[in-house]
């Protein structure tokens, strides 16, 4: 019988389950529309239903999971319209963030962004694509923080959470999330306080992301929850 994923360090069991579900989504092992059966998850992670329900409620608040009365929990299936709406919203917010970053970003902010870019490169070199995706989100959040507008940062955090699932759903297999040359060029323009150039670079960046999406509904062979989570170990 397969063992449940190992729990490392002092993280709570709920946190481990939460992270494992996010990782399975990012790695295309847990597909949109998949049913998250409580009984199966209890067996996979060797925990009670109460703990599984707590995790599912948290994921539902993030729009990663949908809870349907009398049916159960399902991984959110973003439609093509969902994907475009989220990306359009991100364009609007992140272009405004560029205005704020040009006005307020400090040398410390730029150094932080470049440190994230360096970590992204390491993740890609190690073919750790799930970490690369997470770091890409961290870069955009660092950029937002540099604009010194916490309301925009809060909105963006929610959109990025949904974008992880959109990218995991529609991104082409050989594509890179947020190419590092885009991030590097953007930071260079911000350091120069080149507003027009930075706005143009950010628009190009989002064009690049959208071009890497395969916005077509494709059916994949279904696996059991046990197969999904045990296949990610090793």
């Amino acid at each position: 019988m397969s063992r449940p994923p190992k729990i490392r360090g002092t993280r709570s069991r709920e946190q481990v389950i939460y992270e494992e579900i996010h990782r399975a989504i990012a790695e295309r092992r847990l597909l949109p529309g998949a049913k998250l059966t409580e009984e199966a998850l209890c067996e996979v992670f060797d925990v009670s239903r109460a703990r599984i329900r707590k995790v599912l409620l948290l994921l539902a608040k993030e729009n990663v999971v949908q809870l349907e009365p009398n049916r159960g929990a399902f991984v959110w299936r973003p439609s093509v319209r969902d994907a475009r709406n989220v990306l359009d919203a991100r364009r609007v917010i992140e272009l405004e963030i560029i205005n704020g970053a040009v006005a307020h970003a400090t040398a410390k902010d730029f150094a932080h962004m470049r440190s994230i870019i360096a970590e992204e490169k390491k993740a890609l070199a190690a073919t750790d694509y799930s970490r690369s995706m997470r770091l890409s989100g961290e870069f955009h959040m660092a950029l937002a923080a540099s604009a010194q507008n916490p309301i925009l940062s809060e909105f963006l955090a929610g959109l990025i959470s949904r974008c992880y699932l959109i990218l995991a759903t529609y991104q082409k297999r050989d594509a890179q999330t947020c190419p590092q040359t885009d991030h590097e060029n953007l930071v260079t323009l911000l350091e120069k306080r080149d507003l027009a150039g930075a706005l143009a670079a950010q628009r190009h960046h989002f064009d690049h992301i959208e071009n890497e999406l395969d916005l077509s509904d494709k059916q994949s062979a279904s696996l059991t929850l046990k197969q999904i989570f045990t296949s990610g170990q090793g």
Side-chain angles (χ1 to χ4, degrees):
M1 181 177 178
S2 299
R3 295 180 179 178
K6 293 181 179 180
I7 297 177
R8 302 177 178 86
T10 60
R11 293 178 298 165
S12 70
R13 297 177 78 85
E14 289 90 345
Q15 181 66 21
V16 171
I17 297 166
Y18 169 87
E19 291 174 0
E20 287 290 336
I21 290 175
H22 266 295
R23 180 180 175 185
I25 289 171
E27 294 176 354
R28 281 77 164 178
R29 291 183 285 117
L30 192 56
L31 301 176
K35 186 171 185 177
L36 297 170
T37 309
E38 289 183 8
E39 182 179 0
L41 290 171
C42 288
E43 181 182 356
V44 168
F45 294 103
D46 191 24
V47 295
S48 67
R49 282 179 179 264
R51 294 194 179 209
I52 292 297
R53 287 170 184 164
K54 186 183 296 186
V55 173
L56 293 178
L57 284 171
L58 177 59
L59 293 168
K61 288 180 180 179
E62 296 180 350
N63 296 304
V64 172
V65 165
Q66 289 179 309
L67 301 178
E68 301 185 14
N70 303 318
R71 294 194 66 218
F74 297 82
V75 176
W76 180 57
R77 183 190 292 275
S79 66
V80 171
R81 181 179 292 274
D82 289 331
R84 293 199 180 282
N85 285 346
V86 170
L87 287 170
D88 286 347
R90 276 194 66 177
R91 275 181 184 265
V92 172
I93 289 176
E94 295 214 48
L95 288 174
E96 182 57 35
I97 283 171
I98 291 296
N99 285 308
V102 167
H104 301 295
T106 65
K108 184 177 179 180
D109 291 325
F110 295 134
H112 180 45
M113 289 182 233
R114 290 195 180 279
S115 71
I116 295 173
I117 293 170
E119 291 301 312
E120 285 185 274
K121 289 181 178 180
K122 291 179 183 177
L124 285 174
T127 65
D128 190 346
Y129 299 118
S130 60
R131 182 165 179 261
S132 174
M133 181 177 291
R134 175 179 59 78
L135 288 165
S136 178
E138 287 186 10
F139 172 85
H140 285 271
M141 288 307 302
L143 174 58
S146 76
Q148 298 182 23
N149 187 326
I151 303 301
L152 288 181
S153 292
E154 183 179 353
F155 285 150
L156 182 61
L159 292 174
I160 287 177
S161 179
R162 301 187 78 174
C163 272
Y164 284 140
L165 188 51
I166 290 169
L167 289 169
T169 305
Y170 293 115
Q171 190 178 31
K172 298 171 185 176
R173 288 283 180 163
D174 58 349
Q176 293 182 2
T177 304
C178 294
Q180 282 66 53
T181 53
D182 284 6
H183 286 172
E184 288 180 320
N185 292 340
L186 183 56
V187 173
T188 298
L189 290 165
L190 290 172
E191 288 173 327
K192 294 178 180 178
R193 310 295 174 179
D194 182 350
L195 177 59
L199 288 170
Q202 188 74 308
R203 292 189 187 98
H204 172 75
H205 184 50
F206 276 98
D207 288 341
H208 199 156
I209 293 172
E210 291 184 16
N211 288 337
E212 299 296 350
L213 298 178
D214 180 5
L215 298 178
S216 61
D217 292 323
K218 296 180 179 179
Q219 299 296 322
S220 300
S222 60
L223 299 173
T224 67
L225 290 174
K226 184 179 293 187
Q227 289 171 323
I228 287 168
F229 288 103
T230 56
S231 67
Q233 302 177 64

